[in-house]
Amino acid sequence: MRTYLDFEKPIAELEGKITDLRQMDGEAGVNVDEEIEKLQGKADTLLADAYSKLSRWQKAQVARHAGRPHFSDYVNQLVDDFTPLAGDRAFGEDAAVLGGPARLRGRSIILIGHEKGSDTAGRVKHNFGMARPEGYRKAMRLMDMAERFNLPVITLVDTPGAYPGRGAEERGQAEAIASCTEKCLGLSAPLISVIVGEGGSGGAVALAAANKVLMLEHSVYSVISPEGCASILWKDAAGKGDNKAPDAAEAMKISAQDLLDLGVIDGIIPEPVGGAHRDIHLAIERLGDAVEAAITELEMMSPDELKQQRREKFLNIGRAGLA
């Protein structure tokens, strides 16, 4: 059962008619192929047109789509021999951040990423992709392993932000995020990060302070959610008042295209028409191609060059046009 977003209602109506016609096909000698073809053409045109001019708020909705590929989907299609490692060797396991050694198209890598879960039970288990301190400490443990065996690190970021609960704060959430960010910046191995859905605040940056930061075309990356920003600036909580979240999304420039222009990211991975959830296989293949190209480029650099490149990259953010 396909889930449609608010702005996709005209497409949903057409595709609903197509489904009804297909169920009628062959009944009492009725041939509806021509009508189906006509409606499918209209639906495809509407879909392409809608996704060619998405607002930033609509992109945020697409980035959060329940059918969008999750970390487990990338593991199943993109890599072989993935061996998940659990625990931070200090407190416990955090199911919001998964990772371990794997093979990407013949290369040995360390793969780390947020997992949101694909159904209700999974979302609860993985805490909606909101990591606790032990998740970030587990990521650092995996990065230490990457350095020890000289393996490139790939991180897939998809989180609304780090978990803000009392237990997480008591166990040093801020310190864990800061230490993980520092670990990324000082890593002697190549580090490639891809924002595959939501990249929310420090919870995302902790896994995305990389040599190459890429974004899927309809993903978003921001210091705070549009709803959180609207709540602070206009005292407008999500779903109340005039709903200023769309205005906040526009003001914050959260899209991949905005962030590429600002120099925050290094590249955009095109998604299938209608978003990654419309063709998960193709979206994952394109991500694999982009990551493979980035590894090929970075593996030519020495550990010192990798650290220096990363340092210069982040120091230069925001400096464009100031000289």
Side-chain angles (χ1 to χ4, degrees):
M1 185 76 177
R2 179 166 284 158
T3 301
Y4 292 92
L5 300 170
D6 290 344
F7 65 86
E8 294 179 312
K9 285 181 180 177
I11 301 160
E13 291 174 5
L14 282 174
E15 292 187 340
K17 290 178 182 177
I18 292 168
T19 299
D20 292 341
L21 285 172
R22 283 183 175 145
Q23 291 173 347
M24 292 173 52
D25 193 17
E27 293 181 6
V30 176
N31 189 330
V32 295
D33 290 348
E34 186 176 338
E35 185 65 21
I36 287 174
E37 185 177 350
K38 189 186 301 182
L39 288 175
Q40 189 64 61
K42 288 182 180 178
D44 291 343
T45 300
L46 271 178
L47 186 68
D49 183 58
Y51 274 78
S52 69
K53 54 187 181 185
L54 293 178
S55 70
R56 294 175 178 92
W57 174 241
Q58 288 169 335
K59 282 186 177 288
Q61 293 176 288
V62 176
R64 296 167 176 172
H65 195 287
R68 203 167 175 83
H70 298 284
F71 183 82
S72 56
D73 298 307
Y74 291 101
V75 167
N76 291 335
Q77 182 180 323
L78 189 61
V79 301
D80 300 309
D81 303 326
F82 177 66
T83 305
L85 300 182
D88 64 348
R89 294 183 176 173
F91 178 81
E93 164 65 348
D94 182 6
V97 174
L98 303 179
R103 293 184 67 81
L104 171 67
R105 299 178 179 179
R107 281 186 173 91
S108 294
I109 64 165
I110 294 293
L111 180 66
I112 306 169
H114 296 97
E115 174 60 70
K116 283 185 170 180
S118 55
D119 55 26
T120 301
R123 292 181 189 113
V124 172
K125 175 184 175 181
H126 297 288
N127 201 35
F128 300 86
M130 295 185 291
R132 297 174 170 88
E134 43 274 21
Y136 295 110
R137 290 172 182 142
K138 176 170 64 176
M140 287 187 275
R141 174 190 162 201
L142 290 166
M143 291 180 201
D144 285 336
M145 179 184 292
E147 286 189 305
R148 191 155 55 247
F149 295 104
N150 193 30
L151 301 176
V153 179
I154 313 300
T155 65
L156 304 179
V157 175
D158 187 12
T159 179
Y163 184 60
R166 176 176 175 176
E169 297 295 340
E170 288 174 344
R171 297 193 298 278
Q173 183 73 290
E175 181 278 331
I177 291 171
S179 294
C180 197
T181 305
E182 181 183 32
K183 183 65 182 176
C184 287
L185 291 170
L187 197 66
S188 61
L191 176 56
I192 298 115
S193 296
V194 187
I195 315 298
V196 296
E198 288 183 276
S201 192
V205 173
L207 296 184
N211 296 100
K212 292 283 184 182
V213 181
L214 309 174
M215 287 180 71
L216 286 182
E217 182 182 359
H218 302 308
S219 56
V220 294
Y221 194 19
S222 60
V223 71
I224 191 173
S225 69
E227 295 93 335
C229 178
S231 178
I232 293 169
L233 293 184
W234 296 289
K235 310 301 180 187
D236 177 61
K240 297 181 180 179
D242 296 327
N243 189 12
K244 293 288 188 178
D247 295 334
E250 292 297 318
M252 290 195 297
K253 300 186 183 299
I254 62 177
S255 74
Q257 295 75 15
D258 292 323
L259 295 161
L260 183 64
D261 291 341
L262 293 168
V264 174
I265 66 168
D266 303 293
I268 298 173
I269 302 170
E271 294 188 27
V273 175
H277 57 280
R278 284 254 171 182
D279 191 338
I280 289 175
H281 178 82
L282 179 57
I284 294 176
E285 279 298 303
R286 288 179 176 174
L287 182 142
D289 292 341
V291 168
E292 186 178 29
I295 293 175
T296 301
E297 178 183 342
L298 294 173
E299 66 185 359
M300 305 301 293
M301 301 171 69
S302 70
D304 287 341
E305 288 172 333
L306 288 167
K307 293 177 187 179
Q308 186 62 27
Q309 185 266 359
R310 218 177 283 129
R311 174 182 171 82
E312 291 175 358
K313 168 185 167 56
F314 283 90
L315 286 175
N316 284 334
I317 290 175
R319 291 181 175 179
L322 295 180

